[in-house]
Amino acid sequence: MSTTASDPLAALGSLPGVPDAVDSVRKLVDRVYGHRVMRRRSNEVTAEAALRGSRGSAALAGADWNLEEVRRRTDFSGEDEARMVGAALRLTAEAGQLLSIWRQSPLRVLARLHLVAAGGATPDDAVGRPRLAGESVDEPLIEAPLPGAEEVAGRLEGLSRLIIAGGSAPALVTAAVVHGELLALRPFGSHNGLVARTAERIVLIGSGLDPKSICPAEVGHAEQGRAAYVAAFEGYTAGTPEGMAAWITHCGRSVELGVRESTAVCEALQRGAA
């Protein structure tokens, strides 16, 4: 995060193109929440959004499974891709349980998310804590330079302070920054992408933008593709106003695509087809 304004996240909200993205996301989210199906069957929409969001996050991590395979499967042990899909499903299920803790101690939540994601796949002493100097990171999609352990600790603390302090930044901006910062830092030895996207989800839920978690940004990130995801993230790491705006608007488009997905679910439920 390169801005030095007294409210840096709010300052990012005024970058060119970002106010339009924020406004567009807000209108589309309000529209799907106003769908008649949401009055009686919102729990079903939430459950389906969770499944589809998990599938999208796993796809970005290299486990691009068909939705019906994710729905059908009960055993996610064994091969690497199955474990990745299982981790994504566990994280999505955990996200809604951590909202009150997130507002008070984001770092505790991140530690818990890594513990849930790792699920025994990482040596015990490395689970749920930021990596130490000299420890490697398994995150093949993100090839940006890896910050050292001391920088990671400092930036995580700074991010935590921003979250706890709150501010006037739109939810989309805060969610995008949390997501981008965790990808940039890769604070854990594994599963950083899954954790970053889950943290984005937590911000969107906790902010009140998507309180029922029916607008899975992970769906949109996956739909736009891994190449677009990495290119937008490179804008974040560049730290320029243009790059930051590109990342935030990319995240906004991802939420919009998640809204489109859940709108289709609502319409299918209305027709009795799902």
Side-chain angles (χ1 to χ4, degrees), residues 34-224:
H35 198 287
R36 62 186 300 178
V37 165
M38 289 296 295
R39 297 175 199 154
R40 295 185 178 180
R41 305 183 70 177
S42 64
N43 288 344
E44 293 173 69
V45 181
T46 295
E48 189 64 21
L51 184 73
R52 297 180 184 218
S54 298
R55 193 218 72 82
S57 192
L60 285 170
D64 192 0
W65 284 19
N66 180 279
L67 179 63
E68 293 311 312
E69 175 65 12
V70 178
R71 196 191 306 280
R72 179 193 67 80
R73 191 79 167 255
T74 57
D75 181 7
F76 294 96
S77 61
E79 70 270 27
D80 289 346
E81 287 194 5
R83 289 199 299 270
M84 189 65 70
V85 174
L89 288 166
R90 291 193 301 272
L91 284 171
T92 300
E94 190 80 5
Q97 313 299 318
L98 299 172
L99 292 175
S100 61
I101 304 174
W102 175 261
R103 298 184 186 103
Q104 301 170 9
S105 181
L107 299 186
R108 278 183 60 199
V109 170
L110 293 175
R112 173 63 184 170
L113 292 177
H114 186 243
L115 180 68
V116 169
T122 305
D124 289 349
D125 65 350
V127 171
R129 63 157 174 78
R131 55 188 167 82
L132 304 177
E135 290 184 337
S136 61
V137 172
D138 179 14
E139 200 68 46
L141 180 61
I142 304 301
E143 298 180 351
L146 192 66
E150 186 173 344
E151 181 181 351
V152 168
R155 286 171 63 176
L156 280 177
E157 186 59 38
L159 182 64
S160 177
R161 287 196 299 269
L162 282 175
I163 293 165
I164 293 169
S168 60
L172 173 63
V173 172
T174 303
V177 168
V178 167
H179 183 170
E181 190 71 354
L182 292 174
L183 277 185
L185 295 178
R186 283 148 287 163
F188 304 110
S190 63
H191 300 92
N192 289 287
L194 292 180
V195 168
R197 291 184 288 275
T198 305
E200 178 185 46
R201 174 184 283 267
I202 289 172
V203 173
L204 294 173
I205 298 169
S207 67
L209 177 65
D210 183 22
K212 294 183 183 294
S213 192
I214 62 167
C215 306
E218 304 97 324
V219 167
H221 288 305
E223 186 170 333
Q224 293 183 84

